[in-house]
Amino acid sequence: MERRHFTIMGLAAALSGSIASARAMAACAGPRCGAPLLYIGTQGSGPGQGIFAARFDPATGALSDLGLAIEAERPTWLVRDPRKPVLYTVSETGDDDRTQGGVLGYAVDRGTGGLKLLGRVDSGGAGPAHLSYDAASRTLFVANYGTGQVGAIAVKADGTPDAMRSVQAPTGSGPHWRQKGPHAHAAVMDPSGRYLLAADLGTDRLFVYRFDPVRQSLEPAATPALALPPGSGPRHLTFSPDGRFAFLDTELLAEVHAYRWDARSGTLTQTARVALDAPDFAGTRSAAEIAVSPDGRFLYVSNRGANLMHVFAIDRKSGGLTEVQRIDCGGRVPWSFGIDLTGRWLIVTNQGSGNLAVFGVDRASGRLRVTGHSLAVDKPVSLAFFP
């Protein structure tokens, strides 16, 4: 029954994609038709919900709505292939190891913005919430929030997800009511390509796995994990472009931790720890997304509890952080954000208010400026840019 369900869903998705492509083609008529594509992953479920598309004008920051690109079930996290027009998403579904979530690949039609389903594989656990891609080894890495597993999925030459090659299932818990078991929230390859780091909200651990690109396998590193303060709830992490530093945010305490990264030994040494909220903050603390500017000079963090974007200057010698700005996110509940391929624009996905908000980036100071450009999207979560 389960196999039949996914076959029917795949057919429906393909048909929906064809319809959406036709609509997008009809809408694409003018100077913006050749503009970069922006795909929006959402928490949508059911008919008319899935991955949405827009044209993005890199000269002005304006967005042109292309509507639904393809129906999909809770396509919350998107990632693109940097070498070919292929988009990947999780399907954040499943209840346990027997009813798993999914990882799907789509061919991108750059002319229309439409998507065509290439294939789907199980995610190795339930509730996959994050996805990253290593193009050199053609491997997708998935973090299953629901049941805690981290998996490595092989990808065929045409971009189709092929098969799960390796799964790691850590154990543990934490003091918070949301920490009864492991909850992998991000899986990110380090710039050297030797290690995969996985932030686990449920265990207050940042797990480090050695990656074999030939076998596409994962195994615990010599130092298998870094412990964070109890109740921190590690969420997302990112590296500086030169690979010298790693930055992690914690969802439950709303903090940013900076580390010096040693790619030879696979170890982390803390260089900074910064709280996003004041000690007397009365709301729910909830850091969300984190990213480094393309030049490695600035760190951006979204704060869902306070509806803010934070900007930090990075000391490129010590790895220290200095806050240079905090600015309203342009909506409510800034789940994530994306920096465009030019580095001139930052777009926030405001899940609570159902809108994207576009900010200009001052590349000299790192500061953000309000542009007034926005786009209404139901429950937006993540972004993927295609040139």
Side-chain angles (χ1 to χ4, degrees):
M1 182 64 71
E2 194 71 9
R3 291 179 182 270
R4 184 185 175 203
H5 169 73
F6 286 127
T7 301
I8 293 171
M9 286 296 289
L11 177 60
L15 290 173
S16 174
S18 299
I19 295 170
S21 296
R23 291 174 178 169
M25 184 177 293
C28 186
R32 290 180 179 174
C33 188
L37 286 165
L38 176 66
Y39 290 99
I40 306 108
T42 72
Q43 293 175 338
S45 179
Q49 297 295 314
I51 301 172
F52 289 80
R55 291 283 179 186
F56 175 67
D57 187 340
T60 66
L63 295 168
S64 301
D65 188 11
L66 296 180
L68 181 68
I70 199 163
E71 283 189 359
E73 194 77 3
R74 289 183 62 82
T76 56
W77 198 261
L78 306 180
V79 64
R80 76 180 184 99
D81 185 325
R83 298 178 178 178
K84 58 174 66 75
V86 177
L87 177 71
Y88 299 102
T89 183
V90 299
S91 178
E92 194 175 338
T93 57
D95 298 319
D96 52 37
D97 297 345
R98 294 167 298 175
T99 311
Q100 299 185 12
V103 174
L104 300 90
Y106 299 97
V108 173
D109 186 325
R110 283 198 171 101
T112 67
L115 298 172
K116 179 182 178 181
L117 182 67
L118 293 173
R120 178 198 184 280
V121 296
D122 286 345
S123 67
H130 187 270
L131 198 62
S132 61
Y133 183 57
D134 177 48
S137 65
R138 294 214 308 264
T139 309
L140 286 163
F141 300 102
V142 58
N144 290 283
Y145 178 85
T147 46
Q149 297 93 335
V150 174
I153 299 170
V155 173
K156 296 179 181 180
D158 68 352
T160 302
D162 187 11
M164 183 69 72
R165 293 284 188 249
S166 182
V167 177
Q168 292 290 319
T171 59
S173 61
H176 194 276
W177 67 267
R178 292 179 57 192
Q179 296 180 308
K180 295 179 181 179
H183 293 299
H185 219 316
V188 177
M189 177 65 67
D190 87 302
S192 78
R194 301 174 188 169
Y195 296 93
L196 184 78
L197 278 67
D200 194 294
L201 183 146
T203 64
D204 291 323
R205 295 288 189 274
L206 180 57
F207 291 99
V208 183
Y209 299 106
R210 187 84 191 211
F211 176 61
D212 182 334
V214 176
R215 295 186 297 128
Q216 295 173 296
S217 63
L218 300 168
E219 62 180 22
T223 303
L226 174 76
L228 277 84
S232 294
R235 181 178 170 88
H236 283 182
L237 73 150
T238 187
F239 285 90
S240 60
D242 61 10
R244 296 176 57 229
F245 300 104
F247 304 93
L248 169 77
D249 65 2
T250 64
E251 180 171 335
L252 303 180
L253 291 185
E255 293 181 336
V256 177
H257 295 245
Y259 303 94
R260 187 178 299 278
W261 169 246
D262 187 336
R264 293 170 298 178
S265 62
T267 56
L268 297 151
T269 303
Q270 190 164 62
T271 62
R273 177 182 175 184
V274 180
L276 297 184
D277 301 313
D280 60 351
F281 178 68
T284 300
R285 300 176 191 273
S286 184
E289 184 60 293
I290 187 167
V292 178
S293 62
D295 61 10
R297 298 174 58 211
F298 303 101
L299 181 72
Y300 298 90
V301 187
S302 64
N303 183 341
R304 293 184 302 188
N307 293 318
L308 294 173
M309 287 294 302
H310 298 254
V311 185
F312 295 91
I314 301 171
D315 187 314
R316 300 174 79 177
K317 292 184 178 181
S318 69
L321 298 173
T322 302
E323 187 172 53
V324 298
Q325 185 187 28
R326 53 180 61 194
I327 184 172
D328 186 275
C329 67
R332 298 192 316 278
V333 193
W335 211 271
S336 180
F337 60 86
I339 300 172
D340 87 303
L341 301 178
T342 71
R344 297 177 55 201
W345 310 96
L346 184 148
I347 303 178
V348 180
T349 59
N350 289 304
Q351 184 264 4
S353 50
N355 73 292
L356 308 185
V358 182
F359 293 84
V361 177
D362 185 321
R363 286 182 285 186
S365 68
R367 294 174 64 88
L368 302 177
R369 62 175 176 83
V370 176
T371 67
H373 296 306
S374 65
L375 183 69
V377 180
D378 188 34
K379 299 178 182 177
V381 174
S382 65
L383 302 172
F385 293 87
F386 279 82

